[in-house]
Amino acid sequence: MRNRSVADLMTPTAVAVQPGTSFKEIARLLDEYGITAVPVVDEANRPIGVVSEADLLRRHTAKDGPSTAGAMMSSPVVVARPSWTAVEAARLMERHRVKRLPVVDADGQLIGVLSRSDLLQLFLRRDRAIQEEILEDVVIRILRHSPAALHVDVDEGRVTLSGTLERRNLAPVFVRLCESVDGVVEVVDRLSFDDDGEADGAD
């Protein structure tokens, strides 16, 4: 089972600006590339801030001070690594209340940008692909369970598990593994267990 990483989801950097880039040039770039923010990098291509549409609007309204990227940018910048999982990146966005993360390599140089809309790609996976991954990777490879006794139904990312597991204590593990599959929105547990009747049948 392989969760998609930041490198899989990010948009490779097509545009970045220097601290001295002007208000008008930034506005032109946002419009030309259809983006809502742009990273600000130093001479070594290391991100030092981000300028968003909101930053431009604030400066336009205030009408004071220099209108350059260095003056308008939000800093310090919060960055992600390409090897991170989407969950790690999403948690960082939530913790810092940002909508996008510049992605840097081992040298700290900008290689891409990850936005909330990029993360939403996870939930656009086809139900069939989710079902196949759960059956092949979770049921067969990890749990080593026969898929004949289990049913995995997926509807709009909502996974319903039914059928029979050998032991009740496998259920929480099964559910957690399913929840970690990319594209899963919710997991409904309707499982039954072979060991439910053992105590009742004992003398």
Side-chain angles (χ1 to χ4, degrees):
M1 186 168 61
R2 178 183 178 273
N3 294 109
R4 282 190 281 180
S5 66
V6 167
D8 296 325
L9 297 169
M10 72 180 188
T11 301
T13 303
V15 59
V17 299
Q18 300 285 333
T21 305
S22 69
F23 180 106
K24 286 189 176 181
E25 177 64 10
I26 296 170
R28 185 189 68 77
L29 289 171
L30 295 184
D31 178 65
E32 178 181 344
Y33 287 90
I35 54 180
T36 60
V38 61
V40 184
V41 298
D42 62 16
E43 293 180 355
N45 197 38
R46 295 185 175 93
I48 57 174
V50 173
V51 177
S52 67
E53 290 177 327
D55 295 321
L56 294 181
L57 290 172
R58 276 194 295 269
R59 183 47 56 97
H60 179 70
T61 302
K63 295 185 183 298
D64 62 345
S67 296
T68 61
M72 294 183 291
M73 69 184 185
S74 300
S75 182
V77 65
V78 182
V79 300
R81 299 287 184 177
S83 60
W84 288 3
T85 66
V87 172
E88 288 175 305
R91 286 174 177 165
L92 189 66
M93 284 185 184
E94 179 65 23
R95 187 181 316 130
H96 292 275
R97 300 186 182 279
V98 295
K99 297 179 180 179
R100 62 198 63 79
L101 296 170
V103 183
V104 298
D105 62 15
D107 296 322
Q109 295 185 329
L110 184 69
I111 58 173
V113 175
L114 182 76
S115 67
R116 286 181 179 177
S117 60
D118 294 324
L119 290 175
L120 286 176
Q121 293 179 33
L122 293 176
F123 300 102
L124 299 179
R125 291 188 74 192
R126 294 183 181 275
D127 290 339
R128 181 65 178 172
I130 296 172
Q131 181 188 47
E132 288 176 352
E133 181 172 341
I134 290 174
L135 287 172
E136 294 173 9
D137 287 355
V138 178
V139 175
I140 298 174
R141 187 173 65 84
I142 298 177
L143 295 181
R144 299 186 182 279
H145 197 288
S146 169
L150 295 171
H151 304 285
V152 178
D153 297 308
V154 186
D155 183 22
E156 297 293 323
R158 185 174 186 265
V159 177
T160 301
L161 305 175
S162 58
T164 305
L165 280 174
E166 294 176 358
R167 301 188 307 277
R168 178 175 290 275
N169 60 10
L170 287 176
V173 178
F174 190 13
V175 170
R176 283 196 299 272
L177 288 170
C178 291
E179 288 173 339
S180 70
V181 171
D182 287 342
V184 172
V185 176
E186 180 186 6
V187 177
V188 178
D189 178 0
R190 295 179 180 168
L191 295 163
S192 57
F193 313 96
D194 284 339
D195 60 4
D196 277 355
E198 290 180 2
D200 295 336
D203 293 330

